[in-house]
Amino acid sequence: MLNTNAFHNILNVLIALSTSMIAVLLATGCTQFADGTLECSQSFIGPSFAAAAAAALSTLKIIINITRDGVGGLIKPQPPVDK
């Protein structure tokens, strides 16, 4: 079983990958307008998928932090890592 720190770092990687979905969307047929909006009628993936994935993973990460360290743990200094 993964410890919370390992799972936390896996979520960091997944968040980074999900936010890079813009590149995937553009590669699969979306076009970006001058105002930054995406038009994805030619793509099989919608931009709402990337936004929902990033939001869900980020929320899960915060929930894990609160479960592990409590609400106060979100702002307290982290202890040094033992070698």
Side-chain angles (χ1 to χ4, degrees):
M1 186 171 159
L2 293 176
N3 63 42
T4 56
N5 188 49
F7 191 61
H8 185 267
N9 288 314
I10 288 170
L11 286 174
N12 282 338
V13 171
L14 292 174
I15 290 167
L17 291 174
S18 66
T19 56
S20 67
M21 280 291 291
I22 297 299
V24 172
L25 292 172
L26 293 172
T28 60
C30 292
T31 54
Q32 187 172 18
F33 296 126
D35 65 356
T37 59
L38 292 174
E39 194 288 310
C40 292
S41 62
Q42 301 299 314
S43 177
F44 61 92
I45 303 172
S48 58
F49 174 77
L57 293 170
S58 298
T59 301
L60 183 57
K61 185 176 162 187
I62 292 169
I63 290 169
I64 288 171
N65 282 348
I66 291 172
T67 303
R68 180 180 64 189
D69 300 326
V71 176
L74 294 175
I75 58 172
K76 74 177 184 180
Q78 295 296 310
V81 177
D82 291 330
K83 291 187 177 187

